[in-house]
Amino acid sequence: MTPPAAPYVLGIDTDATTLREADRLLQALAAELALPEGVFGCTHLVRDGRPRIALSLAADAEPVLRTARDRLTARGHEVRDGTWDATGRAVLYPGAATLTGTLTLAELLARSAIDRVTVLGTPDEPSPDTRLVTRDHVRPHWQDGRLVLAAMPAVGGTLVPFEDPAPTPCCADH
């Protein structure tokens, strides 16, 4: 999804087939391209006959991504204007690097571009003083132009992000 303040968006096609692989590629590209803090980087599930995870980069300054586009194209990446869908999973976003350890939801919202936290199975907004154990892996999704983190209840009245940083593959024990 295009962040509201980011009118310029690049889509990057990949051969990544897992979120972990796509995350690493997105983070490596951001480092190689020396992208500034305000750039949003998202993953997008693509199911068009060749299932994969594509990437998008969004910025409010076109020159930042024009330079990135030139460098990515020169390295053989397939790059296009726009993104695959409106519900990208944010990996890079303002404040993402500060979301480590345990934070209150108020701290999480104040430190990052995340607009809202929802808790699975509950219709109510969580209290701002609720603690979130980040597991150093906070991946919100775009919903109606807002960056929303889905969380779930955990031990001791805390929350954890819904997405597990080290998921167990289905059927791993048999």
Side-chain angles (χ1 to χ4, degrees):
M1 170 68 187
T2 305
Y8 192 72
V9 182
L10 289 181
I12 305 160
D13 206 350
T14 76
D15 291 323
T17 57
T18 68
L19 290 174
R20 184 177 288 181
E21 181 184 5
D23 284 7
R24 286 185 190 136
L25 176 59
L26 184 54
Q27 291 165 336
L29 289 174
E32 290 171 23
L33 298 169
L35 295 176
E37 166 75 18
V39 172
F40 287 80
C42 296
T43 61
H44 304 268
L45 300 178
V46 180
R47 293 179 180 97
D48 64 358
R50 184 174 65 93
R52 64 199 179 281
I53 300 168
L55 310 175
S56 67
L57 296 172
D60 59 1
E62 182 177 348
V64 169
L65 291 186
R66 188 179 318 127
T67 301
R69 175 190 205 104
D70 293 345
R71 291 177 65 194
L72 289 165
T73 302
R75 291 181 181 164
H77 291 282
E78 186 178 326
V79 180
R80 70 183 210 179
D81 288 327
T83 186
W84 278 259
D85 59 40
T87 59
R89 172 183 162 273
V91 176
L92 306 174
Y93 50 93
T98 68
L99 304 180
T100 60
T102 300
L103 308 168
T104 66
L105 296 184
E107 290 170 324
L108 173 118
L109 296 173
R111 291 182 186 182
S112 72
I114 297 173
D115 296 303
R116 184 171 166 240
V117 177
T118 61
V119 180
L120 298 177
T122 64
D124 301 325
E125 293 280 326
S127 171
D129 63 347
T130 302
R131 293 176 305 134
L132 178 84
V133 180
T134 68
R135 301 181 293 195
D136 299 342
H137 189 85
V138 181
R139 302 292 190 261
H141 288 256
W142 288 103
Q143 293 178 7
D144 300 321
R146 297 179 70 198
L147 206 49
V148 179
L149 177 66
M152 58 188 181
V155 175
T158 63
L159 298 174
V160 294
F162 175 71
E163 185 176 321
D164 189 330
T168 302
C170 178
C171 307
D173 62 345
H174 53 271

